Structure formats: structure tokens, C-alpha cells
């Protein structure tokens, strides 16, 4: 059973409950009113009894009066004396005594259902106040005619209640169907359609403008579908880009392997410049080949786990000094400063890749801004003892700095680019590589230029902090 069916049954149930709460008191009230009518009519008989000589009337007049009253006997208290109007012997017991001078609704309801379901052969005794000097009036009424009238009234009341319940339930159901059920079903259909095709570009907007909770839900769903659909389309494009990068890495690995073979021949050249550059060129090509193989092995843009060990920092920083030549026209000078005995607990290849990305970004920023006297400075320092402290590396430049609009998503892939045409991958990759080594990468606030701070704690200090 769907939402509409359950809503209809609940509406009918509540309306029927309301009708029952009305039906029962009305039934009891009708019975009391019938008995009150008999007592009121008995006031006429009381006047006849008072006017008759010595309070006696003929049997024929008494029979006609009782027939008009619909009663078996009438008793009237005149002062301290009681006068009786009856043509039949008085019964020894009565089915029920109803004192109309004291309204007891629980007793009235019980009496009404007793008359309907369990009628008695003995009459009902009704007691009420008298008028015109009459103290009280009592009437004996047969329960049979009263039950017939009560049944007829109950049937008419049930018919009226059924009509009212049907109309009320129909109206309530129609209103709820229009205002709640249909919008909820529309929401469900929209969610199902979005689940079937989340990347559909022509997603329908929110339906009829409403300011209630359903309208807010529809508007929120529409915003969510647009935002999530865009994210999914971007993720799909990134997945396709990752596949393309994997293919490029495959071919690039082959090219780098050939370049490595050619670089090996430089070792036999006696030129001192070649002898100084050749080992570094071969090591760089070897790292590039291993990186391409790792990317192909994982098939994603995820990095392998860091193989951390204590390594000297100065030799790693020395390999970055040649990066100023990436943009010869910019004339960028790259300088490094670190103690010879400074060691850092990292994966050297991953740290070198992270620093390379930072220095390359700084050189490209200098070239785009055409900075005069451009320079990039890299310095390292240790805080605490070896094995239980941390190493801080600062990469500073005197370039244009990081624009404010790029700071919010500075380390997010494809979102943190600081120059036109940039992909925003360099800082994202650098941040990921530093995190893999247990460190942090952040941008310091500086009056000019830019300064990135890398902090890598030793594993013992990191474990103690954790």
C-alpha cells in the first residue's frame, strides 16, 4: 500500500473516531431529552390531579391521560403528600432510575447503550422537578417504545455521520493529496531520475514555487542535483584525463629509457663539465623512469607509500639550483642554505619532487611577472635533537606572491592555479607528497613575495605526538 492509500485510511480512521466521540454523547442526550419530555408532559397530569376532588380522577380519564403521556404511571408530590395516577398495579422493581435533576453523563451513556443492547421488561423511572407548586414528578415509562425511538434516532445519526465522514475524509484526502502526497511523489521521481542519469545536463529546475518545507526540499534537491551532477561530470573528465596520462606515461617511459641509455655514454666523455652534469642527468632520468613506472603500476593519481629514512638534506637541495634555468630569460637565481650535517626523515625522491614543484612554480611566477633581480631561496633548519625533533624547509621568493582568490583552494587539484594557463597540480602534488612523509605544507603570510613552509617531524616525535 502506497502513501496515498495509507493516508486515506488514516484520514478515514481519524474522522470515524471524531464521529464516535460525537455520536455517543448525542445518543445519550437524545434519551435524556425523551425522558425529560415525558416528565414535562406529566406536569399537565399533576395539574389535573390537584384540580380533581380529593385528588381522584376516573379510570377512563386516567387511562386517556396516561396514553397521551406515553407512561404507565405518574406520581406527583404535593407538599408532603404524594398523588398517584395509574390504572395498573405498580411493578415491584424498575429497570433504571433516571434523576433528571442531576446530570451524570457517564450514567446517561451507560443507560443509552443498555436500552439499545439489553432492554428490560420492567419500566424506567424518571424523576424531575415539578412546577406551579408541585414539588417533584415521577414517571414510569416502558422501555420498548423508548428503544424504538432511540434506534431510529441512532440510524439517522449514523447516516448523517457517514455522509459527514465521507465528505470530510474526501476533502481532507484531496487537500493532503494535492499539498503533500503529489509533491513527495514528485520528489521521489526526481531522485529516481537523478539516480538513473546523474550527469544529465538539462536537469529540470525546481517545480512550482513554494515557501513551505516541501518547497525548500525541492529547491535543495534541485541545487544538489546541479552541484553533484557537475562534480560527477568533472570526476568523469578527470578519470578520462587519468587514462590519458597513463598512456602518456607509458610512451614517456620508453622515451626516458632511451634518453637514459644515451646519458650513460656521457660518463666516458673526458670533458669536466660533462663529468659534473652527467651523473645528475642520469639520476634525474632514473627518477623520472621510476615515477612513470609507479604511475602505470597504480593506474591512478595516487602516490605509493613513503619509504622514509634519515638522509642528508643539503645534497637534495643542491639538485634544485639548476631549476632557475627553466626560464633563461627570467634570470632567476636559486640559492640553497642548509647545514652539512642536517638530516631529515623522509623519502628523498618524494621530498625532491615536492620541492621541485615549489621551485618550478616560483620560477614560472617570476617569468610571468618579469621580476627584476628575481631569486628563490631554499633553507633548512632543525628544531630539537636528531630522531626526536623536526626539520623545517622554507622556499621563499621575491615574486608577485599568491593572489587572494587562489588562497582558498591553493592545494586543491585543478583549482589552486596562481597563473593563467596553469593546471593547479603542482601545489596539490607537493602537499600530498609532504603529507605522505608525515609533514605539513602551508603558505606563510609575508609582506611581499611568497614563502612556503614544509615541516617534517621525525617519526619518533610524530609517534609521541600521536
Amino acid at each position: 500500500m502506497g502513501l496515498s492509500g495509507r493516508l486515506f485510511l488514516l484520514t478515514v480512521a481519524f474522522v470515524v473516531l471524531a464521529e464516535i466521540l460525537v455520536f455517543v454523547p448525542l445518543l445519550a442526550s437524545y434519551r435524556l431529552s425523551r425522558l425529560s419530555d415525558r416528565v414535562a408532559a406529566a406536569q399537565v397530569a399533576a395539574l389535573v390531579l390537584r384540580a380533581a376532588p380529593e385528588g381522584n380522577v376516573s379510570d377512563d380519564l386516567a387511562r386517556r391521560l396516561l396514553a397521551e403521556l406515553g407512561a404507565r404511571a405518574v406520581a406527583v408530590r404535593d407538599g408532603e403528600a404524594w398523588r398517584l395516577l395509574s390504572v395498573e398495579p405498580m411493578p415491584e422493581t424498575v429497570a433504571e432510575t433516571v434523576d433528571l435533576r442531576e446530570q451524570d453523563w457517564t450514567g446517561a451513556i451507560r443507560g443509552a447503550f443498555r436500552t439499545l443492547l439489553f432492554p428490560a421488561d420492567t419500566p424506567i423511572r424518571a424523576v424531575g422537578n415539578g412546577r406551579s407548586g408541585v414539588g417533584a414528578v415521577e414517571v414510569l415509562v416502558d422501555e420498548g417504545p423508548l428503544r424504538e425511538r432511540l434506534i431510529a434516532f441512532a440510524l439517522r445519526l449514523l447516516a448523517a455521520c457517514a455522509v459527514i465522514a465521507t465528505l470530510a475524509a474526501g476533502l481532507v484526502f484531496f487537500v493532503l493529496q494535492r499539498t503533500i502526497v503529489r509533491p513527495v511523489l514528485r520528489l521521489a521521481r526526481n531522485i529516481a531520475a537523478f539516480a538513473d542519469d546523474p550527469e544529465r545536463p538539462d536537469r529540470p529546475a525546481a517545480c512550482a514555487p513554494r515557501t513551505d518545507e516541501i518547497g525548500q526540499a525541492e529547491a535543495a534537491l534541485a541545487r544538489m542535483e546541479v552541484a553533484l551532477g557537475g562534480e560527477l561530470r568533472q570526476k568523469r573528465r578527470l578519470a578520462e584525463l587519468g587514462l590519458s596520462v597513463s598512456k602518456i606515461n607509458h610512451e614517456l617511459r620508453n622515451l626516458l629509457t632511451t634518453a637514459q641509455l644515451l646519458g650513460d655514454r656521457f660518463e666516458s666523455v673526458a670533458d669536466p663539465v660533462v663529468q659534473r652534469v652527467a651523473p645528475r642527468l642520469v639520476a634525474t632520468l632514473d627518477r623520472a623512469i621510476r615515477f612513470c613506472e609507479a604511475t602505470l603500476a597504480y593506474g591512478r593519481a595516487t602516490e605509493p607509500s613513503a619509504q622514509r629514512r634519515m638522509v642528508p638534506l643539503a645534497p637534495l637541495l643542491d639538485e634544485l639550483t639548476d631549476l632557475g634555468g627553466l626560464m633563461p630569460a627570467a634570470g632567476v637565481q636559486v640559492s640553497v642554505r642548509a647545514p652539512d650535517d642536517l638530516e631529515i626523515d623522509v623519502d628523498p625522491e618524494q621530498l625532491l619532487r615536492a620541492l621541485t614543484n615549489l621551485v618550478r612554480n616560483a620560477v614560472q611566477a617570476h617569468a610571468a611577472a618579469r621580476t627584476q633581480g628575481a631569486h628563490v631561496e631554499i633553507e633548512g633548519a632543525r628544531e630539537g635533537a636528531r630522531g626526536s625533533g623536526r626539520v623545517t624547509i622554507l622556499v621563499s621568493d621575491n615574486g608577485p606572491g599568491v593572489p587572494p582568490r587562489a588562497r582558498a583552494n591553493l592545494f586543491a587539484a585543478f583549482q589552486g592555479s596562481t597563473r593563467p594557463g596553469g593546471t593547479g597540480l603542482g601545489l596539490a602534488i607537493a602537499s600530498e607528497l609532504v603529507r605522505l612523509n608525515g609533514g605539513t605544507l602551508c603558505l606563510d603570510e609575508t609582506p611581499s613575495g611568497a614563502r612556503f613552509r614544509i615541516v617534517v617531524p621525525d617519526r619518533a616525535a610524530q609517534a609521541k605526538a600521536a
Side-chain angles (χ1 to χ4, degrees):
M1 182 177 293
L3 180 61
S4 298
R6 290 196 294 268
L7 179 61
F8 179 76
L9 291 181
L10 285 175
T11 304
V12 171
F14 286 131
V15 172
V16 169
L17 178 61
E19 295 290 351
I20 291 175
L21 295 177
V22 174
F23 174 80
V24 172
L26 285 178
L27 200 64
S29 178
Y30 178 79
R31 180 172 178 268
L32 290 178
S33 66
R34 295 299 301 178
L35 294 176
S36 297
D37 291 342
R38 301 282 73 78
V39 171
Q43 305 292 339
V44 179
L47 296 176
V48 173
L49 288 175
R50 293 185 65 186
E54 298 181 358
N56 295 323
V57 297
S58 62
D59 291 343
D60 182 58
L61 179 58
R63 189 176 289 106
R64 288 201 306 267
L65 286 173
L66 293 175
E68 291 293 333
L69 293 176
R72 181 181 297 186
V74 175
V76 178
R77 188 176 68 182
D78 189 2
E80 297 297 330
W82 284 89
R83 297 183 182 184
L84 179 63
L85 178 64
S86 175
V87 294
E88 297 179 1
M90 297 299 294
E92 296 181 357
T93 59
V94 294
E96 180 184 357
T97 298
V98 180
D99 192 347
L100 300 176
R101 297 169 296 183
E102 298 177 359
Q103 296 291 340
D104 181 11
W105 283 103
T106 58
I109 292 173
R110 288 197 302 269
F113 279 99
R114 188 196 60 75
T115 300
L116 277 177
L117 303 177
F118 309 103
D121 296 332
T122 54
I124 296 176
R125 175 171 170 259
V127 181
N129 291 320
R131 293 180 300 178
S132 302
V134 177
V137 178
E138 296 184 5
V139 181
L140 292 182
V141 181
D142 288 332
E143 198 169 21
L146 179 61
R147 181 172 180 271
E148 293 177 0
R149 290 181 177 273
L150 195 60
I151 291 176
F153 175 77
L155 293 177
R156 292 194 301 270
L157 187 59
L158 284 175
C161 289
V163 173
I164 295 174
T166 302
L167 293 177
L171 289 176
V172 172
F173 175 75
F174 175 76
V175 172
L176 294 179
Q177 181 80 7
R178 296 275 297 183
T179 58
I180 296 179
V181 176
R182 288 187 181 181
V184 170
L185 293 178
R186 186 166 59 243
L187 278 173
R189 287 194 297 267
N190 288 342
I191 294 173
F194 179 75
D196 293 337
D197 187 7
E199 298 184 23
R200 178 181 173 184
D202 56 338
R203 184 70 52 193
C207 301
R210 298 175 55 159
T211 58
D212 57 3
E213 289 78 2
I214 293 182
Q216 295 173 6
E218 289 181 339
L221 176 62
R223 291 194 301 269
M224 183 202 70
E225 289 179 350
V226 172
L228 189 55
E231 291 289 337
L232 291 175
R233 287 191 294 271
Q234 183 181 10
K235 296 296 183 183
R236 178 174 53 81
R237 290 195 294 268
L238 291 178
E240 295 173 353
L241 177 61
L243 179 61
S244 301
V245 170
S246 297
K247 294 178 181 178
I248 294 173
N249 273 334
H250 183 274
E251 300 300 326
L252 183 61
R253 180 190 60 178
N254 297 333
L255 295 176
L256 290 175
T257 302
T258 303
Q260 187 183 35
L261 294 176
L262 295 176
D264 290 340
R265 298 182 181 180
F266 287 151
E267 296 180 353
S268 61
V269 178
D271 190 302
V273 177
V274 174
Q275 290 295 323
R276 181 174 62 85
V277 174
R280 187 175 300 176
L281 175 62
V282 172
T284 303
L285 291 174
D286 185 56
R287 284 198 302 271
I289 292 173
R290 287 199 300 271
F291 173 69
C292 292
E293 290 175 348
T295 304
L296 290 174
Y298 281 88
R300 308 178 189 83
T302 55
E303 297 289 343
S305 301
Q307 305 298 320
R308 299 177 64 179
R309 60 184 184 275
M310 298 298 293
V311 295
L313 180 61
L316 293 177
L317 300 184
D318 289 339
E319 297 190 27
L320 302 171
T321 56
D322 294 333
L323 292 179
L326 291 174
M327 302 286 182
V332 182
Q333 298 295 324
V334 179
S335 61
V336 297
R337 185 173 59 188
D340 294 337
D341 59 348
L342 176 59
E343 292 186 342
I344 184 171
D345 189 7
V346 293
D347 185 323
E349 291 189 6
Q350 290 185 346
L351 178 62
L352 189 58
R353 284 174 55 200
L355 291 172
T356 301
N357 281 319
L358 294 177
V359 175
R360 183 188 294 113
N361 282 351
V363 172
Q364 291 173 346
H366 279 303
R370 299 180 181 180
T371 307
Q372 296 296 326
H375 72 269
V376 179
E377 183 178 2
I378 311 168
E379 56 180 325
R382 167 172 287 280
E383 298 178 13
R386 180 182 181 275
S388 59
R390 64 179 184 175
V391 176
T392 300
I393 303 174
L394 299 178
V395 181
S396 308
D397 65 73
N398 62 339
V402 179
R405 59 180 176 81
R407 292 176 182 266
N409 300 306
L410 191 60
F411 301 106
F414 302 101
Q415 300 181 36
S417 177
T418 60
R419 58 185 177 83
T423 61
L425 281 174
L427 292 177
I429 293 174
S431 177
E432 181 182 3
L433 292 172
V434 172
R435 284 199 308 271
L436 287 175
N437 287 269
T440 58
L441 172 62
C442 64
L443 175 67
D444 289 346
E445 292 290 339
T446 54
S448 62
R451 183 173 68 196
F452 287 90
R453 179 183 299 269
I454 297 177
V455 179
V456 180
D458 298 334
R459 274 174 290 180
Q462 186 177 358
K464 182 179 179 181

